[in-house]
Amino acid sequence: MIGCEVFYGNIVLQGGTLLPPREALKPFSVIGCIIVKKSQVENLDFLRNLQKVEKPDWACKNEIVDNPKLCLREEMEILLRSRIPELNMTLPEECEDVSDLQHLRSVRKIFGALRVKENPQLRKVDFLTGLEEIDARSSFGYAVEIVDNPVLIEVQLASLKRITSHESIVVLIENNPFLRGDITEWTEVAGGENRTQIVLASEEQDEDNG
């Protein structure tokens, strides 16, 4: 459907289907139904340029329901309700919307510190996957500080290779009860075990919490 001005058929995201693109498609219309149901979809940004949805000849219902990870900003919700007729849409009461931060994937170097602190809703830090270096020599305190995030489960910094700081302790990670990761990777990038203070969730903790 990428590049189509008019899509004929139902758009269905259900169960374990592939996730849609994060970027908005070119302006298009649909003759059919939009069905997003019991999926792992986190956003519907690909529908941002949806012009209209016309009722087809076959029986179907427009539904966006039972998607526990789906998070929509208010303007996106209004757009979908205005463009999709007779839409049955229910959204989680609480959601984590970091779509505005995805452009940070292109950041390669930070001059200063990286701090992720006291966020009661943040589940994943997945918008800094291109970050290669943190230069915190001009900052005071920890170069990386990830603390007191009660639902944080993952920090994706796969490209990070170097942290530069004048402080004795460079990385502080603690009080994130569900955060998992590789301590060895952190100690290597920080310059040694003596330059980190890290507490991560263990398999045993997960079993106890379950």
Side-chain angles (χ1 to χ4, degrees):
M1 63 178 289
I2 296 177
C4 295
E5 293 184 2
V6 179
F7 179 81
Y8 188 80
N10 295 338
I11 296 177
V12 181
L13 297 171
Q14 189 167 1
T17 56
L18 294 176
L19 298 180
R22 297 195 69 95
E23 298 78 16
L25 301 179
K26 294 181 179 180
F28 71 102
S29 298
V30 174
I31 300 176
C33 287
I34 307 290
I35 303 169
V36 185
K37 188 174 183 180
K38 295 182 179 179
S39 75
Q40 298 301 306
V41 171
E42 297 181 0
N43 69 78
L44 296 175
D45 288 349
F46 77 104
L47 295 176
R48 188 169 298 279
N49 289 326
L50 177 66
Q51 301 300 297
K52 63 179 179 178
V53 175
E54 296 183 13
K55 192 172 183 179
D57 296 333
W58 59 89
C60 64
K61 295 181 179 180
N62 291 306
E63 292 185 291
I64 302 177
V65 296
D66 298 329
N67 304 287
K69 296 183 179 180
L70 181 60
C71 186
L72 300 180
R73 286 176 290 179
E74 183 178 0
E75 61 267 27
M76 187 62 178
E77 182 180 352
I78 293 172
L79 182 146
L80 293 176
R81 291 190 185 279
S82 65
R83 303 287 170 84
I84 305 175
E86 300 178 4
L87 173 62
N88 176 23
M89 179 163 62
T90 59
L91 299 171
E93 292 185 3
E94 295 184 1
C95 68
E96 163 205 351
D97 184 7
V98 296
S99 57
D100 285 342
L101 301 177
Q102 295 304 320
H103 66 282
L104 296 177
R105 290 176 182 270
S106 61
V107 172
R108 296 290 179 265
K109 186 173 183 177
I110 290 177
F111 290 94
L114 173 62
R115 296 189 173 97
V116 182
K117 300 176 62 177
E118 301 174 3
N119 191 317
Q121 296 183 341
L122 185 65
R123 296 182 69 251
K124 292 183 180 181
V125 176
D126 61 354
F127 43 82
L128 288 171
T129 51
L131 182 63
E132 298 174 354
E133 182 178 356
I134 298 174
D135 185 342
R137 288 176 292 182
S138 61
S139 300
F140 295 99
Y142 308 106
V144 176
E145 187 175 4
I146 304 173
V147 299
D148 298 326
N149 301 286
V151 298
L152 184 65
I153 62 173
E154 186 177 11
V155 175
Q156 297 181 17
L157 294 172
S159 300
L160 185 61
K161 298 294 186 292
R162 184 180 182 186
I163 300 176
T164 307
S165 173
H166 295 307
E167 302 292 335
S168 56
I169 301 296
V170 176
V171 176
L172 174 67
I173 303 176
E174 62 182 15
N175 296 332
N176 309 287
F178 299 105
L179 179 61
R180 304 274 295 277
D182 189 332
I183 292 180
T184 301
E185 291 182 355
W186 280 111
T187 57
E188 288 179 354
V189 76
E193 185 176 352
N194 63 324
R195 305 198 74 194
T196 64
Q197 184 175 329
I198 300 174
V199 178
L200 297 174
S202 65
E203 296 283 353
E204 290 76 12
Q205 285 175 308
D206 289 346
E207 291 174 1
D208 291 341
N209 289 325

Short mmCIF file of all heavy atoms in Angstrom, two decimals, residues 1-59:
data_model
loop_
_atom_site.label_atom_id
_atom_site.label_comp_id
_atom_site.label_asym_id
_atom_site.label_seq_id
_atom_site.Cartn_x
_atom_site.Cartn_y
_atom_site.Cartn_z
N MET A 1 0.80 -1.21 0.00
CA MET A 1 0.00 0.00 0.00
C MET A 1 0.84 1.26 0.00
O MET A 1 0.34 2.35 -0.18
CB MET A 1 -0.94 0.01 1.20
CG MET A 1 -0.26 0.02 2.56
SD MET A 1 -1.43 0.10 3.94
CE MET A 1 -2.02 1.75 3.81
N ILE A 2 2.16 1.11 0.20
CA ILE A 2 3.03 2.27 0.19
C ILE A 2 3.04 2.90 -1.20
O ILE A 2 3.29 2.23 -2.19
CB ILE A 2 4.47 1.88 0.61
CG1 ILE A 2 4.46 1.39 2.06
CG2 ILE A 2 5.42 3.05 0.46
CD1 ILE A 2 5.81 0.92 2.55
N GLY A 3 2.73 4.18 -1.28
CA GLY A 3 2.70 4.88 -2.55
C GLY A 3 1.33 4.91 -3.20
O GLY A 3 1.14 5.62 -4.18
N CYS A 4 0.36 4.15 -2.67
CA CYS A 4 -0.99 4.13 -3.25
C CYS A 4 -1.76 5.39 -2.85
O CYS A 4 -1.67 5.84 -1.71
CB CYS A 4 -1.75 2.90 -2.76
SG CYS A 4 -1.08 1.33 -3.31
N GLU A 5 -2.53 5.92 -3.79
CA GLU A 5 -3.41 7.03 -3.46
C GLU A 5 -4.75 6.52 -2.93
O GLU A 5 -5.38 7.18 -2.10
CB GLU A 5 -3.63 7.90 -4.70
CG GLU A 5 -2.37 8.64 -5.14
CD GLU A 5 -2.63 9.57 -6.31
OE1 GLU A 5 -3.81 9.66 -6.74
OE2 GLU A 5 -1.68 10.20 -6.79
N VAL A 6 -5.16 5.35 -3.42
CA VAL A 6 -6.40 4.72 -2.94
C VAL A 6 -6.10 3.25 -2.69
O VAL A 6 -5.60 2.54 -3.56
CB VAL A 6 -7.54 4.85 -3.97
CG1 VAL A 6 -8.79 4.15 -3.44
CG2 VAL A 6 -7.85 6.31 -4.26
N PHE A 7 -6.38 2.81 -1.47
CA PHE A 7 -6.19 1.41 -1.11
C PHE A 7 -7.55 0.73 -1.04
O PHE A 7 -8.44 1.18 -0.32
CB PHE A 7 -5.47 1.30 0.24
CG PHE A 7 -5.25 -0.12 0.69
CD1 PHE A 7 -4.19 -0.86 0.19
CD2 PHE A 7 -6.10 -0.72 1.60
CE1 PHE A 7 -3.98 -2.17 0.59
CE2 PHE A 7 -5.90 -2.03 2.01
CZ PHE A 7 -4.84 -2.75 1.51
N TYR A 8 -7.70 -0.36 -1.79
CA TYR A 8 -8.97 -1.08 -1.85
C TYR A 8 -8.83 -2.37 -1.06
O TYR A 8 -8.11 -3.29 -1.45
CB TYR A 8 -9.33 -1.38 -3.31
CG TYR A 8 -10.72 -1.94 -3.52
CD1 TYR A 8 -11.83 -1.11 -3.54
CD2 TYR A 8 -10.90 -3.31 -3.70
CE1 TYR A 8 -13.10 -1.62 -3.73
CE2 TYR A 8 -12.17 -3.84 -3.89
CZ TYR A 8 -13.27 -2.98 -3.91
OH TYR A 8 -14.53 -3.50 -4.11
N GLY A 9 -9.52 -2.42 0.08
CA GLY A 9 -9.43 -3.59 0.95
C GLY A 9 -9.32 -3.16 2.40
O GLY A 9 -9.24 -1.97 2.71
N ASN A 10 -9.31 -4.12 3.29
CA ASN A 10 -9.19 -3.82 4.72
C ASN A 10 -7.72 -3.71 5.11
O ASN A 10 -6.87 -4.46 4.62
CB ASN A 10 -9.83 -4.92 5.56
CG ASN A 10 -11.33 -5.01 5.35
OD1 ASN A 10 -11.97 -4.04 4.92
ND2 ASN A 10 -11.91 -6.16 5.66
N ILE A 11 -7.43 -2.77 5.99
CA ILE A 11 -6.11 -2.69 6.62
C ILE A 11 -6.24 -3.33 7.99
O ILE A 11 -6.98 -2.83 8.85
CB ILE A 11 -5.65 -1.23 6.74
CG1 ILE A 11 -5.46 -0.62 5.35
CG2 ILE A 11 -4.34 -1.15 7.54
CD1 ILE A 11 -5.06 0.84 5.37
N VAL A 12 -5.56 -4.45 8.18
CA VAL A 12 -5.74 -5.24 9.40
C VAL A 12 -4.40 -5.41 10.12
O VAL A 12 -3.43 -5.90 9.54
CB VAL A 12 -6.33 -6.63 9.09
CG1 VAL A 12 -6.52 -7.42 10.38
CG2 VAL A 12 -7.65 -6.49 8.34
N LEU A 13 -4.36 -4.99 11.37
CA LEU A 13 -3.22 -5.25 12.25
C LEU A 13 -3.79 -5.99 13.46
O LEU A 13 -4.49 -5.40 14.28
CB LEU A 13 -2.56 -3.94 12.68
CG LEU A 13 -1.94 -3.10 11.56
CD1 LEU A 13 -1.53 -1.74 12.08
CD2 LEU A 13 -0.76 -3.82 10.94
N GLN A 14 -3.48 -7.25 13.54
CA GLN A 14 -4.11 -8.07 14.57
C GLN A 14 -3.15 -9.16 15.04
O GLN A 14 -2.41 -9.73 14.23
CB GLN A 14 -5.40 -8.70 14.03
CG GLN A 14 -6.26 -9.38 15.08
CD GLN A 14 -7.65 -9.71 14.55
OE1 GLN A 14 -7.96 -9.45 13.40
NE2 GLN A 14 -8.48 -10.28 15.40
N GLY A 15 -3.15 -9.41 16.34
CA GLY A 15 -2.31 -10.48 16.88
C GLY A 15 -0.84 -10.19 16.64
O GLY A 15 -0.34 -9.10 16.90
N GLY A 16 -0.14 -11.17 16.11
CA GLY A 16 1.31 -11.06 15.92
C GLY A 16 1.73 -10.60 14.55
O GLY A 16 2.81 -10.94 14.08
N THR A 17 0.89 -9.83 13.87
CA THR A 17 1.25 -9.34 12.54
C THR A 17 2.42 -8.37 12.62
O THR A 17 2.75 -7.85 13.68
CB THR A 17 0.06 -8.61 11.88
OG1 THR A 17 -0.38 -7.56 12.75
CG2 THR A 17 -1.09 -9.57 11.63
N LEU A 18 3.07 -8.13 11.49
CA LEU A 18 4.19 -7.20 11.45
C LEU A 18 3.74 -5.81 11.87
O LEU A 18 2.62 -5.39 11.59
CB LEU A 18 4.78 -7.15 10.04
CG LEU A 18 5.45 -8.44 9.53
CD1 LEU A 18 5.89 -8.25 8.08
CD2 LEU A 18 6.64 -8.80 10.40
N LEU A 19 4.63 -5.09 12.54
CA LEU A 19 4.31 -3.74 12.96
C LEU A 19 4.35 -2.80 11.76
O LEU A 19 5.15 -2.98 10.85
CB LEU A 19 5.31 -3.27 14.03
CG LEU A 19 5.31 -4.08 15.33
CD1 LEU A 19 6.35 -3.51 16.29
CD2 LEU A 19 3.94 -4.09 15.98
N PRO A 20 3.51 -1.77 11.75
CA PRO A 20 3.48 -0.83 10.63
C PRO A 20 4.68 0.10 10.68
O PRO A 20 5.37 0.20 11.71
CB PRO A 20 2.18 -0.05 10.88
CG PRO A 20 2.03 -0.07 12.37
CD PRO A 20 2.53 -1.42 12.80
N PRO A 21 4.97 0.81 9.58
CA PRO A 21 6.07 1.78 9.60
C PRO A 21 5.77 2.92 10.56
O PRO A 21 4.62 3.28 10.78
CB PRO A 21 6.12 2.27 8.15
CG PRO A 21 4.77 1.99 7.59
CD PRO A 21 4.29 0.75 8.28
N ARG A 22 6.82 3.50 11.15
CA ARG A 22 6.64 4.62 12.07
C ARG A 22 6.35 5.91 11.33
O ARG A 22 5.74 6.83 11.87
CB ARG A 22 7.88 4.80 12.95
CG ARG A 22 8.20 3.63 13.86
CD ARG A 22 9.19 4.05 14.92
NE ARG A 22 8.59 4.98 15.86
CZ ARG A 22 8.05 4.63 17.02
NH1 ARG A 22 8.02 3.37 17.37
NH2 ARG A 22 7.53 5.53 17.82
N GLU A 23 6.82 6.01 10.08
CA GLU A 23 6.65 7.24 9.33
C GLU A 23 5.29 7.28 8.65
O GLU A 23 4.73 6.25 8.26
CB GLU A 23 7.75 7.39 8.27
CG GLU A 23 9.16 7.47 8.84
CD GLU A 23 9.71 6.12 9.25
OE1 GLU A 23 9.14 5.10 8.82
OE2 GLU A 23 10.69 6.08 10.01
N ALA A 24 4.77 8.49 8.48
CA ALA A 24 3.49 8.66 7.79
C ALA A 24 3.64 8.32 6.32
O ALA A 24 4.64 8.66 5.68
CB ALA A 24 3.00 10.09 7.96
N LEU A 25 2.65 7.63 5.77
CA LEU A 25 2.63 7.34 4.34
C LEU A 25 2.20 8.60 3.59
O LEU A 25 1.73 9.57 4.17
CB LEU A 25 1.65 6.20 4.06
CG LEU A 25 1.93 4.87 4.76
CD1 LEU A 25 0.86 3.85 4.38
CD2 LEU A 25 3.32 4.34 4.42
N LYS A 26 2.37 8.56 2.28
CA LYS A 26 1.88 9.67 1.46
C LYS A 26 0.36 9.72 1.58
O LYS A 26 -0.29 8.72 1.88
CB LYS A 26 2.30 9.47 0.00
CG LYS A 26 3.80 9.57 -0.22
CD LYS A 26 4.15 9.38 -1.68
CE LYS A 26 5.66 9.50 -1.91
NZ LYS A 26 6.01 9.32 -3.34
N PRO A 27 -0.26 10.89 1.35
CA PRO A 27 -1.72 11.00 1.48
C PRO A 27 -2.44 9.91 0.69
O PRO A 27 -2.13 9.68 -0.48
CB PRO A 27 -2.02 12.40 0.92
CG PRO A 27 -0.76 13.17 1.20
CD PRO A 27 0.36 12.19 1.00
N PHE A 28 -3.38 9.25 1.34
CA PHE A 28 -4.10 8.15 0.69
C PHE A 28 -5.49 8.01 1.30
O PHE A 28 -5.76 8.49 2.40
CB PHE A 28 -3.33 6.84 0.80
CG PHE A 28 -3.30 6.26 2.19
CD1 PHE A 28 -4.12 5.20 2.55
CD2 PHE A 28 -2.45 6.79 3.16
CE1 PHE A 28 -4.10 4.67 3.83
CE2 PHE A 28 -2.41 6.26 4.45
CZ PHE A 28 -3.24 5.20 4.78
N SER A 29 -6.36 7.33 0.57
CA SER A 29 -7.70 7.01 1.04
C SER A 29 -7.88 5.50 1.03
O SER A 29 -7.14 4.77 0.37
CB SER A 29 -8.76 7.67 0.14
OG SER A 29 -8.63 9.08 0.17
N VAL A 30 -8.88 5.05 1.77
CA VAL A 30 -9.15 3.61 1.88
C VAL A 30 -10.61 3.34 1.53
O VAL A 30 -11.51 4.03 2.02
CB VAL A 30 -8.85 3.11 3.31
CG1 VAL A 30 -9.28 1.64 3.46
CG2 VAL A 30 -7.37 3.26 3.63
N ILE A 31 -10.81 2.36 0.68
CA ILE A 31 -12.15 1.81 0.48
C ILE A 31 -12.13 0.45 1.17
O ILE A 31 -11.60 -0.54 0.63
CB ILE A 31 -12.49 1.67 -1.01
CG1 ILE A 31 -12.44 3.04 -1.69
CG2 ILE A 31 -13.88 1.04 -1.18
CD1 ILE A 31 -12.67 2.98 -3.20
N GLY A 32 -12.63 0.41 2.37
CA GLY A 32 -12.53 -0.78 3.19
C GLY A 32 -12.61 -0.39 4.65
O GLY A 32 -13.13 0.68 4.99
N CYS A 33 -12.07 -1.21 5.51
CA CYS A 33 -12.11 -0.93 6.94
C CYS A 33 -10.70 -0.90 7.54
O CYS A 33 -9.77 -1.52 7.02
CB CYS A 33 -12.94 -2.00 7.67
SG CYS A 33 -14.72 -1.84 7.38
N ILE A 34 -10.57 -0.16 8.63
CA ILE A 34 -9.34 -0.12 9.42
C ILE A 34 -9.58 -0.97 10.66
O ILE A 34 -10.45 -0.65 11.48
CB ILE A 34 -8.98 1.32 9.84
CG1 ILE A 34 -8.94 2.25 8.63
CG2 ILE A 34 -7.67 1.33 10.61
CD1 ILE A 34 -7.81 2.02 7.68
N ILE A 35 -8.80 -2.03 10.80
CA ILE A 35 -8.99 -2.95 11.93
C ILE A 35 -7.65 -3.13 12.64
O ILE A 35 -6.71 -3.72 12.08
CB ILE A 35 -9.53 -4.31 11.46
CG1 ILE A 35 -10.85 -4.13 10.69
CG2 ILE A 35 -9.72 -5.25 12.65
CD1 ILE A 35 -11.31 -5.38 9.95
N VAL A 36 -7.54 -2.60 13.84
CA VAL A 36 -6.34 -2.76 14.67
C VAL A 36 -6.82 -3.35 15.98
O VAL A 36 -7.40 -2.66 16.82
CB VAL A 36 -5.62 -1.42 14.90
CG1 VAL A 36 -4.32 -1.64 15.66
CG2 VAL A 36 -5.35 -0.71 13.57
N LYS A 37 -6.59 -4.64 16.16
CA LYS A 37 -7.27 -5.35 17.25
C LYS A 37 -6.34 -6.39 17.88
O LYS A 37 -5.72 -7.19 17.19
CB LYS A 37 -8.53 -6.03 16.70
CG LYS A 37 -9.44 -6.64 17.72
CD LYS A 37 -10.72 -7.13 17.05
CE LYS A 37 -11.71 -7.69 18.05
NZ LYS A 37 -12.95 -8.16 17.39
N LYS A 38 -6.24 -6.33 19.21
CA LYS A 38 -5.44 -7.30 19.97
C LYS A 38 -4.04 -7.43 19.39
O LYS A 38 -3.53 -8.54 19.19
CB LYS A 38 -6.15 -8.65 20.01
CG LYS A 38 -7.47 -8.64 20.75
CD LYS A 38 -8.12 -10.01 20.80
CE LYS A 38 -9.44 -9.96 21.57
NZ LYS A 38 -10.12 -11.27 21.61
N SER A 39 -3.42 -6.29 19.13
CA SER A 39 -2.09 -6.27 18.51
C SER A 39 -1.06 -5.73 19.49
O SER A 39 -1.38 -5.30 20.60
CB SER A 39 -2.11 -5.39 17.26
OG SER A 39 -2.14 -4.02 17.62
N GLN A 40 0.21 -5.74 19.06
CA GLN A 40 1.30 -5.15 19.83
C GLN A 40 1.71 -3.80 19.26
O GLN A 40 2.79 -3.28 19.57
CB GLN A 40 2.50 -6.11 19.83
CG GLN A 40 2.23 -7.45 20.47
CD GLN A 40 1.79 -7.31 21.92
OE1 GLN A 40 2.48 -6.69 22.72
NE2 GLN A 40 0.65 -7.89 22.26
N VAL A 41 0.85 -3.20 18.45
CA VAL A 41 1.13 -1.91 17.82
C VAL A 41 1.27 -0.83 18.90
O VAL A 41 0.47 -0.77 19.83
CB VAL A 41 0.00 -1.55 16.84
CG1 VAL A 41 0.15 -0.12 16.35
CG2 VAL A 41 0.01 -2.51 15.66
N GLU A 42 2.30 0.02 18.76
CA GLU A 42 2.54 1.08 19.73
C GLU A 42 2.09 2.45 19.23
O GLU A 42 1.88 3.36 20.02
CB GLU A 42 4.03 1.13 20.09
CG GLU A 42 4.52 -0.15 20.76
CD GLU A 42 5.98 -0.09 21.13
OE1 GLU A 42 6.62 0.96 20.85
OE2 GLU A 42 6.50 -1.07 21.68
N ASN A 43 1.98 2.62 17.91
CA ASN A 43 1.51 3.89 17.36
C ASN A 43 0.88 3.64 16.00
O ASN A 43 1.06 2.57 15.40
CB ASN A 43 2.64 4.91 17.25
CG ASN A 43 3.64 4.53 16.18
OD1 ASN A 43 3.41 4.72 14.99
ND2 ASN A 43 4.78 3.97 16.60
N LEU A 44 0.16 4.64 15.51
CA LEU A 44 -0.48 4.54 14.19
C LEU A 44 -0.05 5.72 13.32
O LEU A 44 -0.84 6.27 12.56
CB LEU A 44 -2.01 4.51 14.34
CG LEU A 44 -2.57 3.29 15.07
CD1 LEU A 44 -4.08 3.43 15.27
CD2 LEU A 44 -2.26 2.00 14.30
N ASP A 45 1.21 6.09 13.43
CA ASP A 45 1.70 7.26 12.69
C ASP A 45 1.60 7.08 11.18
O ASP A 45 1.55 8.07 10.45
CB ASP A 45 3.16 7.54 13.07
CG ASP A 45 3.28 8.10 14.49
OD1 ASP A 45 2.24 8.47 15.06
OD2 ASP A 45 4.41 8.16 15.01
N PHE A 46 1.58 5.85 10.71
CA PHE A 46 1.49 5.64 9.26
C PHE A 46 0.15 6.10 8.70
O PHE A 46 0.00 6.31 7.50
CB PHE A 46 1.73 4.16 8.92
CG PHE A 46 0.58 3.24 9.18
CD1 PHE A 46 -0.20 2.76 8.14
CD2 PHE A 46 0.26 2.84 10.47
CE1 PHE A 46 -1.26 1.90 8.37
CE2 PHE A 46 -0.79 1.98 10.72
CZ PHE A 46 -1.56 1.52 9.66
N LEU A 47 -0.84 6.32 9.59
CA LEU A 47 -2.16 6.80 9.15
C LEU A 47 -2.30 8.32 9.26
O LEU A 47 -3.38 8.86 9.05
CB LEU A 47 -3.25 6.15 10.00
CG LEU A 47 -3.42 4.63 9.87
CD1 LEU A 47 -4.48 4.14 10.85
CD2 LEU A 47 -3.80 4.25 8.44
N ARG A 48 -1.21 9.00 9.55
CA ARG A 48 -1.29 10.44 9.79
C ARG A 48 -1.81 11.21 8.58
O ARG A 48 -2.47 12.25 8.72
CB ARG A 48 0.08 10.97 10.21
CG ARG A 48 0.08 12.42 10.66
CD ARG A 48 1.39 12.80 11.29
NE ARG A 48 1.66 12.01 12.47
CZ ARG A 48 1.14 12.26 13.66
NH1 ARG A 48 0.31 13.28 13.81
NH2 ARG A 48 1.43 11.49 14.70
N ASN A 49 -1.52 10.73 7.37
CA ASN A 49 -1.98 11.40 6.15
C ASN A 49 -3.20 10.73 5.54
O ASN A 49 -3.50 10.93 4.35
CB ASN A 49 -0.84 11.46 5.13
CG ASN A 49 0.25 12.42 5.54
OD1 ASN A 49 -0.01 13.45 6.16
ND2 ASN A 49 1.50 12.10 5.20
N LEU A 50 -3.90 9.94 6.34
CA LEU A 50 -5.14 9.32 5.86
C LEU A 50 -6.16 10.40 5.51
O LEU A 50 -6.46 11.28 6.34
CB LEU A 50 -5.69 8.39 6.94
CG LEU A 50 -7.03 7.70 6.64
CD1 LEU A 50 -6.88 6.73 5.48
CD2 LEU A 50 -7.54 6.98 7.88
N GLN A 51 -6.69 10.36 4.29
CA GLN A 51 -7.64 11.38 3.84
C GLN A 51 -9.07 11.02 4.20
O GLN A 51 -9.81 11.83 4.75
CB GLN A 51 -7.50 11.57 2.33
CG GLN A 51 -6.10 11.99 1.89
CD GLN A 51 -5.66 13.29 2.52
OE1 GLN A 51 -6.25 14.34 2.28
NE2 GLN A 51 -4.61 13.24 3.33
N LYS A 52 -9.46 9.80 3.89
CA LYS A 52 -10.82 9.37 4.22
C LYS A 52 -10.91 7.85 4.09
O LYS A 52 -10.09 7.21 3.44
CB LYS A 52 -11.85 10.03 3.31
CG LYS A 52 -11.71 9.68 1.84
CD LYS A 52 -12.79 10.37 1.01
CE LYS A 52 -12.63 10.03 -0.48
NZ LYS A 52 -13.69 10.66 -1.31
N VAL A 53 -11.93 7.31 4.74
CA VAL A 53 -12.22 5.88 4.65
C VAL A 53 -13.66 5.74 4.17
O VAL A 53 -14.58 6.27 4.80
CB VAL A 53 -12.04 5.17 6.01
CG1 VAL A 53 -12.47 3.71 5.91
CG2 VAL A 53 -10.59 5.27 6.46
N GLU A 54 -13.84 5.05 3.05
CA GLU A 54 -15.18 4.85 2.50
C GLU A 54 -15.67 3.45 2.81
O GLU A 54 -14.90 2.48 2.78
CB GLU A 54 -15.16 5.06 0.98
CG GLU A 54 -14.80 6.48 0.56
CD GLU A 54 -14.86 6.65 -0.94
OE1 GLU A 54 -15.43 5.76 -1.62
OE2 GLU A 54 -14.35 7.66 -1.44
N LYS A 55 -16.95 3.35 3.10
CA LYS A 55 -17.55 2.06 3.42
C LYS A 55 -17.54 1.16 2.19
O LYS A 55 -17.97 1.57 1.11
CB LYS A 55 -18.98 2.26 3.91
CG LYS A 55 -19.60 1.02 4.53
CD LYS A 55 -20.95 1.35 5.15
CE LYS A 55 -21.54 0.12 5.83
NZ LYS A 55 -22.85 0.44 6.47
N PRO A 56 -17.05 -0.08 2.32
CA PRO A 56 -16.97 -0.97 1.16
C PRO A 56 -18.27 -1.74 0.93
O PRO A 56 -19.23 -1.60 1.69
CB PRO A 56 -15.85 -1.93 1.57
CG PRO A 56 -16.02 -2.05 3.05
CD PRO A 56 -16.46 -0.68 3.53
N ASP A 57 -18.27 -2.56 -0.12
CA ASP A 57 -19.44 -3.37 -0.44
C ASP A 57 -19.57 -4.56 0.50
O ASP A 57 -20.66 -5.12 0.66
CB ASP A 57 -19.35 -3.88 -1.89
CG ASP A 57 -19.40 -2.74 -2.89
OD1 ASP A 57 -19.98 -1.69 -2.55
OD2 ASP A 57 -18.84 -2.89 -3.99
N TRP A 58 -18.47 -4.98 1.11
CA TRP A 58 -18.50 -6.14 2.00
C TRP A 58 -18.72 -5.69 3.45
O TRP A 58 -18.53 -4.53 3.80
CB TRP A 58 -17.21 -6.94 1.87
CG TRP A 58 -15.96 -6.16 2.19
CD1 TRP A 58 -15.37 -6.01 3.40
CD2 TRP A 58 -15.18 -5.40 1.26
NE1 TRP A 58 -14.26 -5.21 3.30
CE2 TRP A 58 -14.12 -4.83 1.99
CE3 TRP A 58 -15.26 -5.16 -0.12
CZ2 TRP A 58 -13.15 -4.02 1.39
CZ3 TRP A 58 -14.31 -4.36 -0.71
CH2 TRP A 58 -13.26 -3.80 0.04
N ALA A 59 -19.09 -6.65 4.29
CA ALA A 59 -19.36 -6.34 5.69
C ALA A 59 -18.06 -6.30 6.49
O ALA A 59 -17.27 -7.25 6.46
CB ALA A 59 -20.30 -7.40 6.28
#
